[in-house]
Amino acid sequence: METAFIPFDRAADIYDATHSFPAGEERAIAALIAQAGNLRRESCVLEVGVGTGRIALPLARYVERLYGIDLSRPMMKQLRSKPDASAIRLSEANAPRLPFRRAAFDAVLLVHVLHLIADRRRALREIARVLKPDGLLLCGGDTGDMLQGELFAPIWSAWRAALPAEKIESVGLTQPVREALPPLGWRPVGAPWQHSYTVQRTPNGAYRAIEERQLSNTNTWRLSDAELEHGLRAVRAAIAAHFPQPGQLLALNVTFEVQAFQPPQAIQHTA
Ligand SMILES: C[S@@+](CC[C@H](N)C(=O)[O-])C[C@H]1O[C@@H](n2cnc3c(N)ncnc32)[C@H](O)[C@@H]1O
């Protein structure tokens, strides 16, 4: 059966504009990932769902061998156009079928990807297969930006209330990755590593992000024009009710978090 997939091709040109870290923070985040994974120069690391290289490019300062796979050619084309892209060995591949030999990597990195993969059990088995016996899965992501922050909650509750749940829910995971992995036998190693920073957003900016179908998390990509307009009407009403100055920049506290996991031994030894 084909894996359901939210195609990022359409987001490739706008992804960096809506997801870049504030200047300098990308280095702090790469350092955090390197610490969480106990990475050394000689470590061999794979990022699954490498996208435009938002994470992999700064991480390339820490490891000599960094591989990236993604299903979306346009996302990787963006990556390839950037300085230092040659530091990352890229290939087009699907997470449930990784084109690597067994026990090839010291760490596999997933940032904002697992929730997009419908066949996540198979993808995780593949990740366990390509990890060395002492290798780690590093699951990262930022929380608190305009999608999750309390400040913009009225916008997202209006959005969710206006549209049928099955149209806007994630294809793969509906719970945080950190909670989803232990029941599948993945063992957390220590506490999550965290780095906090501030971003400036406006309620009007959140509206535009929905209107222009910029964010995969809101699943605007699966909505018809009429459904999108129905959701936008609810969002306009919520903005009018809760934000007297919708063009005003508001400071949102964002935390990037990365948690290391050891794979289930049963999978590793049989894969
Ligand atoms: C939200 S983006 C995250 C990109 C990058 N990790 C980051 O944090 O900026 C998700 C990426 O995962 C890719 N992706 C989604 N499902 C995939 C799959 N089954 N196999 C490989 N890549 C996948 C998408 O094409 C997209 O580039």
Side-chain angles (χ1 to χ4, degrees):
M1 194 181 70
E2 273 302 296
T3 301
F5 170 59
I6 299 181
F8 269 71
D9 297 6
R10 62 182 302 158
D13 292 340
I14 51 169
Y15 187 83
D16 286 346
T18 47
H19 293 80
S20 292
F21 297 114
E25 300 299 350
E26 73 286 355
R27 286 190 177 197
I29 286 160
L32 189 81
I33 292 170
Q35 279 182 304
N38 200 17
L39 302 180
R40 303 170 304 280
R41 287 274 339 136
E42 61 275 20
S43 296
C44 189
V45 176
L46 167 67
E47 185 180 2
V48 171
V50 65
T52 61
R54 182 179 78 124
I55 306 287
L57 284 168
L59 189 63
R61 296 163 56 92
Y62 290 87
V63 292
E64 271 162 12
R65 288 171 300 159
L66 182 53
Y67 290 75
I69 66 119
D70 205 291
L71 270 181
S72 167
R73 274 188 213 176
M75 289 290 275
M76 287 191 290
K77 190 174 168 208
Q78 291 287 335
L79 197 172
R80 286 193 174 100
S81 71
K82 296 179 182 176
D84 301 329
S86 60
I88 303 160
R89 303 169 204 202
L90 292 172
S91 37
E92 186 183 336
N94 191 359
R97 282 178 196 272
L98 295 176
F100 301 104
R101 66 174 169 78
R102 191 177 175 278
F105 296 102
D106 298 290
V108 174
L109 178 61
L110 283 173
V111 179
H112 290 304
V113 178
L114 201 58
H115 66 289
L116 301 168
I117 304 173
D119 198 355
R120 71 173 185 280
R121 279 175 188 261
R122 191 155 157 209
L124 287 165
R125 284 185 71 84
E126 274 292 85
I127 290 171
R129 181 183 67 77
V130 302
L131 275 173
K132 292 179 182 173
D134 57 351
L136 293 174
L137 169 61
L138 304 173
C139 282
D142 20 27
T143 55
D145 203 336
M146 60 181 174
L147 278 170
Q148 303 101 344
E150 272 302 298
L151 213 51
F152 285 12
I155 293 180
W156 302 114
S157 13
W159 171 253
R160 280 193 298 273
L163 293 162
E166 70 276 10
K167 279 275 179 168
I168 52 174
E169 70 197 10
S170 295
V171 292
L173 275 179
T174 48
Q175 69 199 122
V177 170
R178 202 175 54 210
E179 291 166 21
L181 292 188
L184 300 176
W186 291 78
R187 287 157 294 148
V189 179
W193 295 71
Q194 294 181 330
H195 172 73
S196 295
Y197 54 95
T198 304
V199 293
Q200 307 274 340
R201 308 278 188 222
T202 66
N204 281 347
Y207 181 84
R208 252 193 330 275
I210 304 174
E211 187 182 33
E212 294 172 5
R213 301 181 189 251
Q214 291 176 3
L215 305 167
S216 67
N217 315 49
T218 54
N219 290 322
T220 42
W221 301 349
R222 290 195 244 155
L223 299 177
S224 67
D225 288 351
E227 287 165 335
L228 180 69
E229 177 48 32
H230 184 69
L232 283 171
R233 204 172 306 131
V235 170
R236 283 196 293 274
I239 291 178
H242 295 274
F243 301 96
Q245 293 177 283
Q248 190 178 33
L249 281 171
L250 301 171
L252 302 184
N253 294 320
V254 180
T255 299
F256 188 94
E257 188 173 287
V258 57
Q259 172 73 59
F261 291 91
Q262 285 173 333
Q265 283 174 354
I267 293 185
Q268 263 204 319
H269 293 154
T270 54

